[in-house]
Amino acid sequence: MESFSNWLPHSNSGYFLMDAIFASFVGIAALLLFIVIRRARRRSYFRRHDFQAFTIRKQWREILSGAVDSGFWRGDPMRRAIVQDFLLRELDTASPKDRSRFQEFIRANGLLDACIEQARKGHAWQRRNALVTLGATLMPEAISTLAEALDDCQLETRLAAVRGLGRTGLTQAAKPLLERLMTDGLNIPAHPISNALLRCCEEHPEVLLPYLRRAKGEVREILARIAAEIALPEMADEMILLAGDPLPEVRASAARALTVVPLPLALPALAGLARDPVWFVRLRAVASLDVVRHPRAIPILLEALRDANRFVRLRAAAALSEFIKERTHILENVVDTHDRYALHAMISALELAGDFGKVVEDLSDPSQHDAAATRLLDALREGVANIWTAEPVDPVAEKV
């Protein structure tokens, strides 16, 4: 087969090759020149930015007090951006009194209006940056603009609006997020919207309850998790109702929330959840009983120590090991069950807590030469020996 070069005129092939090489060198030189010019411009920009930031920082208090005319910085885009950045940093750590002063400065000098305009009419990253900046102002005037962006066709813009609403930390900013969840479902990833709602509802978690009662499916699970993290004792009735929910995730969230509920109401509900058919609901209930840490929880934890799931047993053992005064009574009950898995879990928990040696020492005390102490000591030593041998398979291998 003839090559393509054989079809070219032999007299011009050398010129063609030289032209190709020359064009390649020209392209490489143009690319290198572009890189050098771009780097020089960026270096110049950062030098100017650093100089302007230093100048503004020296006059910062005068700028805030109005002693320096706003025309000094409003007419220059770089200076205006620096002043805005300084204001947002101050807002993050300001006291309520200073925060209102900074916010009034933002309003009076048109920074808020300019940011709202950019958030509504900007393009791509400029609009998304303006949405996040609006949230950082912590001002209620920003909520309507941020709420409008929740309907944007681009996911990145919707995420920026969610971050902006969450960054405000205002209770009224939760309303548009909750309404979008109820009407449109999850057109935004669950993690960002959960974080935003946590920040907005932290001071007033009761605003979640009307939406939680009507929510279904995945939205109900998300709202239940948020409510569980910021629940108040006044929400006890709602949390107890959630303990009987058909969704396992909701029941697990209710178990977490029951730690803030008064003990006479919380213990019966947690006892029921500790016997739930789903393993992670039982695990969450046992973890909550550990947080409650009341002697009335010991019988429930002893029952959980014999659970079919290994993680539940270990968590129950860790909780029981915290009851120092009742430790001997607990160990006697564990030995009486004749359940090697429960005994191994209890010994492991005591070892992790660094208390197993003390327990053995106390039981070996010559002043306690009674049959119960001897039997308990023998059982513990036998259990330690069996842990290091080949452990038999769990009687119930529950899938995790």
Side-chain angles (χ1 to χ4, degrees), residues 343-371:
L343 182 60
H344 290 175
M346 199 66 214
I347 292 173
S348 298
L350 291 172
E351 286 279 11
L352 288 173
D355 294 338
F356 184 75
K358 186 177 184 306
V359 171
V360 173
E361 183 181 348
D362 291 343
L363 293 173
S364 304
D365 190 350
S367 63
Q368 296 190 22
H369 278 303
D370 58 352

PDB file of all heavy atoms in Angstrom, residues 343-371:
ATOM      1  N   LEU A 343     -21.195 -12.206  78.292  1.00  0.00           N
ATOM      2  CA  LEU A 343     -20.052 -12.133  79.199  1.00  0.00           C
ATOM      3  C   LEU A 343     -18.819 -11.588  78.480  1.00  0.00           C
ATOM      4  O   LEU A 343     -18.097 -10.741  79.011  1.00  0.00           O
ATOM      5  CB  LEU A 343     -19.765 -13.510  79.781  1.00  0.00           C
ATOM      6  CG  LEU A 343     -18.617 -13.579  80.799  1.00  0.00           C
ATOM      7  CD1 LEU A 343     -18.897 -12.684  81.996  1.00  0.00           C
ATOM      8  CD2 LEU A 343     -18.373 -15.014  81.234  1.00  0.00           C
ATOM      9  N   HIS A 344     -18.574 -12.060  77.260  1.00  0.00           N
ATOM     10  CA  HIS A 344     -17.422 -11.565  76.503  1.00  0.00           C
ATOM     11  C   HIS A 344     -17.553 -10.073  76.220  1.00  0.00           C
ATOM     12  O   HIS A 344     -16.570  -9.330  76.307  1.00  0.00           O
ATOM     13  CB  HIS A 344     -17.298 -12.339  75.188  1.00  0.00           C
ATOM     14  CG  HIS A 344     -16.886 -13.760  75.382  1.00  0.00           C
ATOM     15  ND1 HIS A 344     -16.804 -14.659  74.337  1.00  0.00           N
ATOM     16  CD2 HIS A 344     -16.527 -14.453  76.499  1.00  0.00           C
ATOM     17  CE1 HIS A 344     -16.415 -15.829  74.802  1.00  0.00           C
ATOM     18  NE2 HIS A 344     -16.235 -15.735  76.107  1.00  0.00           N
ATOM     19  N   ALA A 345     -18.757  -9.617  75.870  1.00  0.00           N
ATOM     20  CA  ALA A 345     -18.967  -8.193  75.600  1.00  0.00           C
ATOM     21  C   ALA A 345     -18.706  -7.365  76.853  1.00  0.00           C
ATOM     22  O   ALA A 345     -18.093  -6.290  76.791  1.00  0.00           O
ATOM     23  CB  ALA A 345     -20.393  -7.970  75.095  1.00  0.00           C
ATOM     24  N   MET A 346     -19.148  -7.875  78.005  1.00  0.00           N
ATOM     25  CA  MET A 346     -18.961  -7.142  79.257  1.00  0.00           C
ATOM     26  C   MET A 346     -17.490  -7.076  79.636  1.00  0.00           C
ATOM     27  O   MET A 346     -16.985  -6.026  80.058  1.00  0.00           O
ATOM     28  CB  MET A 346     -19.777  -7.826  80.350  1.00  0.00           C
ATOM     29  CG  MET A 346     -20.043  -6.953  81.547  1.00  0.00           C
ATOM     30  SD  MET A 346     -21.107  -5.558  81.146  1.00  0.00           S
ATOM     31  CE  MET A 346     -20.415  -4.331  82.266  1.00  0.00           C
ATOM     32  N   ILE A 347     -16.772  -8.169  79.475  1.00  0.00           N
ATOM     33  CA  ILE A 347     -15.341  -8.182  79.793  1.00  0.00           C
ATOM     34  C   ILE A 347     -14.593  -7.222  78.858  1.00  0.00           C
ATOM     35  O   ILE A 347     -13.711  -6.461  79.304  1.00  0.00           O
ATOM     36  CB  ILE A 347     -14.780  -9.616  79.682  1.00  0.00           C
ATOM     37  CG1 ILE A 347     -15.362 -10.489  80.796  1.00  0.00           C
ATOM     38  CG2 ILE A 347     -13.259  -9.609  79.741  1.00  0.00           C
ATOM     39  CD1 ILE A 347     -15.010 -11.956  80.669  1.00  0.00           C
ATOM     40  N   SER A 348     -14.939  -7.243  77.579  1.00  0.00           N
ATOM     41  CA  SER A 348     -14.282  -6.338  76.627  1.00  0.00           C
ATOM     42  C   SER A 348     -14.525  -4.881  76.988  1.00  0.00           C
ATOM     43  O   SER A 348     -13.618  -4.036  76.901  1.00  0.00           O
ATOM     44  CB  SER A 348     -14.800  -6.617  75.213  1.00  0.00           C
ATOM     45  OG  SER A 348     -14.500  -7.933  74.811  1.00  0.00           O
ATOM     46  N   ALA A 349     -15.754  -4.551  77.393  1.00  0.00           N
ATOM     47  CA  ALA A 349     -16.077  -3.173  77.768  1.00  0.00           C
ATOM     48  C   ALA A 349     -15.277  -2.750  79.002  1.00  0.00           C
ATOM     49  O   ALA A 349     -14.771  -1.621  79.070  1.00  0.00           O
ATOM     50  CB  ALA A 349     -17.577  -3.034  78.026  1.00  0.00           C
ATOM     51  N   LEU A 350     -15.156  -3.632  79.988  1.00  0.00           N
ATOM     52  CA  LEU A 350     -14.377  -3.313  81.186  1.00  0.00           C
ATOM     53  C   LEU A 350     -12.899  -3.149  80.853  1.00  0.00           C
ATOM     54  O   LEU A 350     -12.206  -2.289  81.420  1.00  0.00           O
ATOM     55  CB  LEU A 350     -14.571  -4.402  82.241  1.00  0.00           C
ATOM     56  CG  LEU A 350     -15.962  -4.479  82.885  1.00  0.00           C
ATOM     57  CD1 LEU A 350     -16.078  -5.727  83.754  1.00  0.00           C
ATOM     58  CD2 LEU A 350     -16.239  -3.225  83.714  1.00  0.00           C
ATOM     59  N   GLU A 351     -12.393  -3.984  79.953  1.00  0.00           N
ATOM     60  CA  GLU A 351     -10.996  -3.861  79.537  1.00  0.00           C
ATOM     61  C   GLU A 351     -10.757  -2.517  78.844  1.00  0.00           C
ATOM     62  O   GLU A 351      -9.766  -1.834  79.111  1.00  0.00           O
ATOM     63  CB  GLU A 351     -10.632  -5.010  78.587  1.00  0.00           C
ATOM     64  CG  GLU A 351     -10.458  -6.349  79.269  1.00  0.00           C
ATOM     65  CD  GLU A 351      -9.068  -6.491  79.903  1.00  0.00           C
ATOM     66  OE1 GLU A 351      -8.351  -5.476  79.987  1.00  0.00           O
ATOM     67  OE2 GLU A 351      -8.732  -7.609  80.330  1.00  0.00           O
ATOM     68  N   LEU A 352     -11.661  -2.145  77.944  1.00  0.00           N
ATOM     69  CA  LEU A 352     -11.505  -0.867  77.241  1.00  0.00           C
ATOM     70  C   LEU A 352     -11.580   0.310  78.205  1.00  0.00           C
ATOM     71  O   LEU A 352     -10.910   1.329  78.009  1.00  0.00           O
ATOM     72  CB  LEU A 352     -12.582  -0.731  76.156  1.00  0.00           C
ATOM     73  CG  LEU A 352     -12.412  -1.630  74.933  1.00  0.00           C
ATOM     74  CD1 LEU A 352     -13.634  -1.533  74.022  1.00  0.00           C
ATOM     75  CD2 LEU A 352     -11.154  -1.223  74.157  1.00  0.00           C
ATOM     76  N   ALA A 353     -12.389   0.191  79.238  1.00  0.00           N
ATOM     77  CA  ALA A 353     -12.503   1.263  80.227  1.00  0.00           C
ATOM     78  C   ALA A 353     -11.345   1.256  81.218  1.00  0.00           C
ATOM     79  O   ALA A 353     -11.213   2.193  82.021  1.00  0.00           O
ATOM     80  CB  ALA A 353     -13.835   1.147  80.972  1.00  0.00           C
ATOM     81  N   GLY A 354     -10.513   0.202  81.171  1.00  0.00           N
ATOM     82  CA  GLY A 354      -9.386   0.099  82.092  1.00  0.00           C
ATOM     83  C   GLY A 354      -9.778  -0.305  83.494  1.00  0.00           C
ATOM     84  O   GLY A 354      -9.022  -0.082  84.447  1.00  0.00           O
ATOM     85  N   ASP A 355     -10.958  -0.909  83.648  1.00  0.00           N
ATOM     86  CA  ASP A 355     -11.473  -1.239  84.980  1.00  0.00           C
ATOM     87  C   ASP A 355     -11.481  -2.736  85.281  1.00  0.00           C
ATOM     88  O   ASP A 355     -11.849  -3.135  86.391  1.00  0.00           O
ATOM     89  CB  ASP A 355     -12.907  -0.704  85.141  1.00  0.00           C
ATOM     90  CG  ASP A 355     -12.952   0.812  85.135  1.00  0.00           C
ATOM     91  OD1 ASP A 355     -11.911   1.423  85.427  1.00  0.00           O
ATOM     92  OD2 ASP A 355     -14.023   1.368  84.841  1.00  0.00           O
ATOM     93  N   PHE A 356     -11.127  -3.565  84.305  1.00  0.00           N
ATOM     94  CA  PHE A 356     -11.247  -5.010  84.546  1.00  0.00           C
ATOM     95  C   PHE A 356     -10.306  -5.465  85.655  1.00  0.00           C
ATOM     96  O   PHE A 356     -10.684  -6.279  86.522  1.00  0.00           O
ATOM     97  CB  PHE A 356     -10.955  -5.785  83.260  1.00  0.00           C
ATOM     98  CG  PHE A 356     -11.141  -7.261  83.402  1.00  0.00           C
ATOM     99  CD1 PHE A 356     -12.408  -7.820  83.453  1.00  0.00           C
ATOM    100  CD2 PHE A 356     -10.042  -8.113  83.516  1.00  0.00           C
ATOM    101  CE1 PHE A 356     -12.582  -9.189  83.597  1.00  0.00           C
ATOM    102  CE2 PHE A 356     -10.206  -9.479  83.659  1.00  0.00           C
ATOM    103  CZ  PHE A 356     -11.477 -10.019  83.699  1.00  0.00           C
ATOM    104  N   GLY A 357      -9.078  -4.963  85.662  1.00  0.00           N
ATOM    105  CA  GLY A 357      -8.135  -5.343  86.705  1.00  0.00           C
ATOM    106  C   GLY A 357      -8.623  -4.958  88.086  1.00  0.00           C
ATOM    107  O   GLY A 357      -8.461  -5.724  89.052  1.00  0.00           O
ATOM    108  N   LYS A 358      -9.267  -3.790  88.194  1.00  0.00           N
ATOM    109  CA  LYS A 358      -9.790  -3.344  89.484  1.00  0.00           C
ATOM    110  C   LYS A 358     -10.934  -4.255  89.948  1.00  0.00           C
ATOM    111  O   LYS A 358     -11.049  -4.568  91.133  1.00  0.00           O
ATOM    112  CB  LYS A 358     -10.250  -1.905  89.392  1.00  0.00           C
ATOM    113  CG  LYS A 358     -10.671  -1.299  90.734  1.00  0.00           C
ATOM    114  CD  LYS A 358     -11.032   0.154  90.564  1.00  0.00           C
ATOM    115  CE  LYS A 358     -11.353   0.784  91.922  1.00  0.00           C
ATOM    116  NZ  LYS A 358     -12.378   0.074  92.677  1.00  0.00           N
ATOM    117  N   VAL A 359     -11.777  -4.656  88.996  1.00  0.00           N
ATOM    118  CA  VAL A 359     -12.890  -5.542  89.344  1.00  0.00           C
ATOM    119  C   VAL A 359     -12.363  -6.868  89.877  1.00  0.00           C
ATOM    120  O   VAL A 359     -12.832  -7.375  90.914  1.00  0.00           O
ATOM    121  CB  VAL A 359     -13.813  -5.764  88.120  1.00  0.00           C
ATOM    122  CG1 VAL A 359     -14.843  -6.848  88.410  1.00  0.00           C
ATOM    123  CG2 VAL A 359     -14.505  -4.475  87.730  1.00  0.00           C
ATOM    124  N   VAL A 360     -11.375  -7.442  89.193  1.00  0.00           N
ATOM    125  CA  VAL A 360     -10.786  -8.713  89.637  1.00  0.00           C
ATOM    126  C   VAL A 360     -10.112  -8.544  90.999  1.00  0.00           C
ATOM    127  O   VAL A 360     -10.218  -9.416  91.887  1.00  0.00           O
ATOM    128  CB  VAL A 360      -9.782  -9.232  88.583  1.00  0.00           C
ATOM    129  CG1 VAL A 360      -9.027 -10.465  89.116  1.00  0.00           C
ATOM    130  CG2 VAL A 360     -10.505  -9.575  87.287  1.00  0.00           C
ATOM    131  N   GLU A 361      -9.427  -7.432  91.183  1.00  0.00           N
ATOM    132  CA  GLU A 361      -8.769  -7.174  92.466  1.00  0.00           C
ATOM    133  C   GLU A 361      -9.774  -7.065  93.601  1.00  0.00           C
ATOM    134  O   GLU A 361      -9.556  -7.592  94.702  1.00  0.00           O
ATOM    135  CB  GLU A 361      -7.945  -5.892  92.358  1.00  0.00           C
ATOM    136  CG  GLU A 361      -7.157  -5.553  93.611  1.00  0.00           C
ATOM    137  CD  GLU A 361      -6.374  -4.265  93.456  1.00  0.00           C
ATOM    138  OE1 GLU A 361      -6.257  -3.772  92.312  1.00  0.00           O
ATOM    139  OE2 GLU A 361      -5.885  -3.745  94.473  1.00  0.00           O
ATOM    140  N   ASP A 362     -10.879  -6.380  93.344  1.00  0.00           N
ATOM    141  CA  ASP A 362     -11.912  -6.237  94.386  1.00  0.00           C
ATOM    142  C   ASP A 362     -12.528  -7.586  94.742  1.00  0.00           C
ATOM    143  O   ASP A 362     -12.780  -7.879  95.920  1.00  0.00           O
ATOM    144  CB  ASP A 362     -12.996  -5.270  93.920  1.00  0.00           C
ATOM    145  CG  ASP A 362     -12.494  -3.845  93.831  1.00  0.00           C
ATOM    146  OD1 ASP A 362     -11.433  -3.543  94.430  1.00  0.00           O
ATOM    147  OD2 ASP A 362     -13.148  -3.027  93.143  1.00  0.00           O
ATOM    148  N   LEU A 363     -12.778  -8.412  93.726  1.00  0.00           N
ATOM    149  CA  LEU A 363     -13.372  -9.718  93.991  1.00  0.00           C
ATOM    150  C   LEU A 363     -12.390 -10.667  94.666  1.00  0.00           C
ATOM    151  O   LEU A 363     -12.804 -11.620  95.344  1.00  0.00           O
ATOM    152  CB  LEU A 363     -13.876 -10.338  92.683  1.00  0.00           C
ATOM    153  CG  LEU A 363     -15.066  -9.635  92.011  1.00  0.00           C
ATOM    154  CD1 LEU A 363     -15.351 -10.244  90.652  1.00  0.00           C
ATOM    155  CD2 LEU A 363     -16.309  -9.717  92.902  1.00  0.00           C
ATOM    156  N   SER A 364     -11.093 -10.422  94.469  1.00  0.00           N
ATOM    157  CA  SER A 364     -10.072 -11.272  95.095  1.00  0.00           C
ATOM    158  C   SER A 364      -9.729 -10.828  96.505  1.00  0.00           C
ATOM    159  O   SER A 364      -8.881 -11.455  97.163  1.00  0.00           O
ATOM    160  CB  SER A 364      -8.794 -11.255  94.234  1.00  0.00           C
ATOM    161  OG  SER A 364      -9.071 -11.653  92.914  1.00  0.00           O
ATOM    162  N   ASP A 365     -10.342  -9.778  96.971  1.00  0.00           N
ATOM    163  CA  ASP A 365     -10.074  -9.264  98.313  1.00  0.00           C
ATOM    164  C   ASP A 365     -10.391 -10.347  99.356  1.00  0.00           C
ATOM    165  O   ASP A 365     -11.468 -10.938  99.345  1.00  0.00           O
ATOM    166  CB  ASP A 365     -10.940  -8.030  98.561  1.00  0.00           C
ATOM    167  CG  ASP A 365     -10.530  -7.295  99.841  1.00  0.00           C
ATOM    168  OD1 ASP A 365      -9.719  -7.842 100.601  1.00  0.00           O
ATOM    169  OD2 ASP A 365     -11.036  -6.177 100.057  1.00  0.00           O
ATOM    170  N   PRO A 366      -9.427 -10.639 100.256  1.00  0.00           N
ATOM    171  CA  PRO A 366      -9.661 -11.689 101.273  1.00  0.00           C
ATOM    172  C   PRO A 366     -10.884 -11.427 102.138  1.00  0.00           C
ATOM    173  O   PRO A 366     -11.484 -12.379 102.665  1.00  0.00           O
ATOM    174  CB  PRO A 366      -8.374 -11.657 102.115  1.00  0.00           C
ATOM    175  CG  PRO A 366      -7.335 -11.070 101.205  1.00  0.00           C
ATOM    176  CD  PRO A 366      -8.066 -10.094 100.339  1.00  0.00           C
ATOM    177  N   SER A 367     -11.249 -10.187 102.301  1.00  0.00           N
ATOM    178  CA  SER A 367     -12.421  -9.883 103.135  1.00  0.00           C
ATOM    179  C   SER A 367     -13.725 -10.315 102.470  1.00  0.00           C
ATOM    180  O   SER A 367     -14.780 -10.291 103.103  1.00  0.00           O
ATOM    181  CB  SER A 367     -12.459  -8.392 103.460  1.00  0.00           C
ATOM    182  OG  SER A 367     -12.606  -7.627 102.268  1.00  0.00           O
ATOM    183  N   GLN A 368     -13.664 -10.656 101.174  1.00  0.00           N
ATOM    184  CA  GLN A 368     -14.888 -11.060 100.476  1.00  0.00           C
ATOM    185  C   GLN A 368     -14.845 -12.547 100.122  1.00  0.00           C
ATOM    186  O   GLN A 368     -15.037 -12.933  98.979  1.00  0.00           O
ATOM    187  CB  GLN A 368     -15.060 -10.229  99.197  1.00  0.00           C
ATOM    188  CG  GLN A 368     -15.265  -8.756  99.452  1.00  0.00           C
ATOM    189  CD  GLN A 368     -15.682  -8.017  98.186  1.00  0.00           C
ATOM    190  OE1 GLN A 368     -16.192  -8.616  97.241  1.00  0.00           O
ATOM    191  NE2 GLN A 368     -15.486  -6.717  98.190  1.00  0.00           N
ATOM    192  N   HIS A 369     -14.590 -13.358 101.095  1.00  0.00           N
ATOM    193  CA  HIS A 369     -14.542 -14.802 100.854  1.00  0.00           C
ATOM    194  C   HIS A 369     -15.951 -15.381 100.937  1.00  0.00           C
ATOM    195  O   HIS A 369     -16.265 -16.199 101.787  1.00  0.00           O
ATOM    196  CB  HIS A 369     -13.632 -15.493 101.890  1.00  0.00           C
ATOM    197  CG  HIS A 369     -12.188 -15.408 101.534  1.00  0.00           C
ATOM    198  ND1 HIS A 369     -11.654 -15.862 100.353  1.00  0.00           N
ATOM    199  CD2 HIS A 369     -11.144 -14.897 102.240  1.00  0.00           C
ATOM    200  CE1 HIS A 369     -10.357 -15.652 100.324  1.00  0.00           C
ATOM    201  NE2 HIS A 369     -10.016 -15.056 101.457  1.00  0.00           N
ATOM    202  N   ASP A 370     -16.800 -14.968 100.027  1.00  0.00           N
ATOM    203  CA  ASP A 370     -18.131 -15.553  99.974  1.00  0.00           C
ATOM    204  C   ASP A 370     -18.298 -16.288  98.656  1.00  0.00           C
ATOM    205  O   ASP A 370     -17.537 -16.100  97.702  1.00  0.00           O
ATOM    206  CB  ASP A 370     -19.220 -14.489 100.158  1.00  0.00           C
ATOM    207  CG  ASP A 370     -19.140 -13.385  99.135  1.00  0.00           C
ATOM    208  OD1 ASP A 370     -18.149 -13.359  98.366  1.00  0.00           O
ATOM    209  OD2 ASP A 370     -20.057 -12.555  99.075  1.00  0.00           O
ATOM    210  N   ALA A 371     -19.288 -17.125  98.604  1.00  0.00           N
ATOM    211  CA  ALA A 371     -19.483 -17.977  97.428  1.00  0.00           C
ATOM    212  C   ALA A 371     -19.793 -17.159  96.185  1.00  0.00           C
ATOM    213  O   ALA A 371     -19.342 -17.494  95.083  1.00  0.00           O
ATOM    214  CB  ALA A 371     -20.614 -18.966  97.702  1.00  0.00           C
TER     215      ALA A 371
END
